[in-house]
Amino acid sequence: KTWWGTWVSCEENGPTGQIWEVDPFGQYPANMTVLGELGGNYESMAYDNREPRLPRFFVTNDKASGELRRFTPDPAALDGPDHGILTTPGIIEYLILTPDMADETQGTFGWTDQRKLGKASAEAHHPNLEGIDHRDGLLYFVSKRRKELFVLDLDRGTFIKSSTESGVFDGQPDQIVRLMDQDETAKAFSSTSDGSTTSAASSLDSSSFSRPPDILYMTEEGGARAGIHGRDRQGRYLTVLESPEGADETTGLAFSPNRMHMYFAIQDEGILYDVIREDGLPFGGTTLNVKYHQMGEEEQDQGKD
């Protein structure tokens, strides 16, 4: 969903898929955006609008050499109607990952205007991209083929990656949605002693966070019982639920505005679920008595915040 109220839908349609913008209120007609260029097997879109005059849009492509693309709108389009931002040509660039020689789970990244280089980087490091989300300067996306989660620090130009295989999460990661706790939005930018602001992204691993960990929710394709899984700020995985339909695909993950309801669908069966927590708390709030997946030889339980 864009910040001006429209929705962006990606076509997973081989080499000819496009990316569309639709208005749920019917004020504007559906439009094919410029994000898809000549076509692709597109999956998901996210954006970073921390700088109002320099927003960026990111799109994943579910192919072995499916590049991750970044779209920067034409500044003139930002001065016009919002629904023209994604239909006016701008700058499209492609992600290049450079893993560290000593540790390939981390490294640096940059952007290029050469699609062939972006495709080569995708094939080498992150084939078949699926879900993507952005919060506080951190860009999250998953490679379903390698079953890996990538986190890009957009301000520092660095990345880390980790496996999503954990416990009963044995299928391929698909869509992702990061939910922050109820006070997270207000804390995303904090004032420093000199009056400037600093992004919460720079304190991702800091022990100074006393609030409950926010959760990166993931849907699952395949596996013994495709479900909804989560990963907290400390990198621990948990299973929210497993599909009663067995080895299918969970998709369409969304949350109500007050985060009291989680919605998802079983793709092949065409069943839509509305899930609430038994303790009556929101999905972005306090977590209690959560059993995390086995890590090494120990299982970690969270009995309190």
Side-chain angles (χ1 to χ4, degrees):
K1 181 181 178 180
T2 65
W3 64 85
W4 58 88
T6 59
W7 289 83
V8 175
S9 179
C10 299
E11 289 182 328
E12 188 180 6
N13 190 28
T16 63
Q18 280 296 337
I19 302 170
W20 295 81
E21 181 182 13
V22 296
D23 178 11
F25 302 104
Q27 294 182 338
Y28 312 108
N31 288 303
M32 188 173 73
T33 72
V34 297
L35 299 176
E37 293 183 294
L38 299 178
N41 204 43
Y42 300 119
E43 279 284 345
S44 300
M45 187 276 287
Y47 61 81
D48 173 9
N49 67 335
R50 291 174 298 155
E51 297 185 37
R53 297 299 303 175
L54 191 63
R56 260 66 183 264
F57 297 80
F58 306 90
V59 177
T60 59
N61 193 347
D62 184 8
K63 297 175 62 177
S65 59
E67 71 286 351
L68 191 155
R69 55 184 53 203
R70 180 180 74 173
F71 173 72
T72 304
D74 185 330
L78 300 175
D79 296 325
D82 288 335
H83 65 276
I85 292 176
L86 298 181
T87 56
T88 302
I91 299 174
I92 292 184
E93 299 167 295
Y94 311 95
L95 178 67
I96 300 289
L97 290 185
T98 305
D100 288 351
M101 295 294 291
D103 182 2
E104 66 172 10
T105 66
Q106 61 183 10
T108 60
F109 69 89
W111 303 93
T112 178
D113 60 2
Q114 299 185 51
R115 188 178 184 184
K116 65 179 181 179
L117 296 181
K119 292 171 71 68
S121 180
E123 191 165 17
H125 305 299
H126 51 83
N128 297 92
L129 292 182
E130 290 274 350
I132 189 168
D133 200 6
H134 169 267
R135 291 291 187 277
D136 306 341
L138 299 176
L139 186 69
Y140 304 82
F141 60 88
V142 290
S143 165
K144 75 175 183 182
R145 174 179 290 192
R146 296 197 175 181
K147 299 182 180 180
E148 290 178 331
L149 167 69
F150 292 78
V151 184
L152 272 58
D153 187 324
L154 298 177
D155 297 329
R156 295 182 176 182
T158 59
F159 79 89
I160 58 174
K161 72 173 184 176
S162 59
S163 173
T164 61
E165 288 190 281
S166 177
V168 296
F169 191 1
D170 57 349
Q172 296 176 324
D174 202 306
Q175 296 178 320
I176 60 175
V177 176
R178 181 183 166 195
L179 267 196
M180 303 179 291
D181 71 84
Q182 300 290 13
D183 296 326
E184 175 87 11
T185 301
K187 296 179 181 179
F189 290 88
S190 58
S191 296
T192 61
S193 58
D194 62 1
S196 62
T197 59
T198 179
S199 170
S202 63
S203 304
L204 177 64
D205 298 316
S206 173
S207 60
S208 63
F209 283 104
S210 60
R211 64 181 183 276
D214 52 282
I215 302 295
L216 184 71
Y217 288 90
M218 306 183 195
T219 63
E220 182 179 14
E221 179 178 347
R225 297 180 68 85
I228 305 293
H229 307 277
R231 178 184 184 273
D232 72 5
R233 185 181 292 270
Q234 284 72 43
R236 298 174 297 181
Y237 282 88
L238 60 130
T239 293
V240 180
L241 57 86
E242 293 184 86
S243 168
E245 305 302 323
D248 198 331
E249 179 177 350
T250 51
T251 187
L253 182 63
F255 297 85
S256 62
N258 63 4
R259 303 173 186 175
M260 299 299 293
H261 295 258
M262 178 176 71
Y263 309 101
F264 73 95
I266 304 297
Q267 181 165 290
D268 291 345
E269 296 295 328
I271 303 173
L272 180 65
Y273 288 87
D274 177 356
V275 182
I276 60 174
R277 288 175 50 153
E278 290 183 345
D279 57 16
L281 295 173
F283 282 93
T286 305
T287 56
L288 293 173
N289 299 320
V290 172
K291 176 164 286 189
Y292 290 86
H293 293 174
Q294 184 171 337
M295 301 179 67
E297 297 181 354
E298 299 180 356
E299 286 190 334
Q300 299 188 16
D301 294 339
Q302 182 178 345
K304 60 181 180 179
D305 299 329

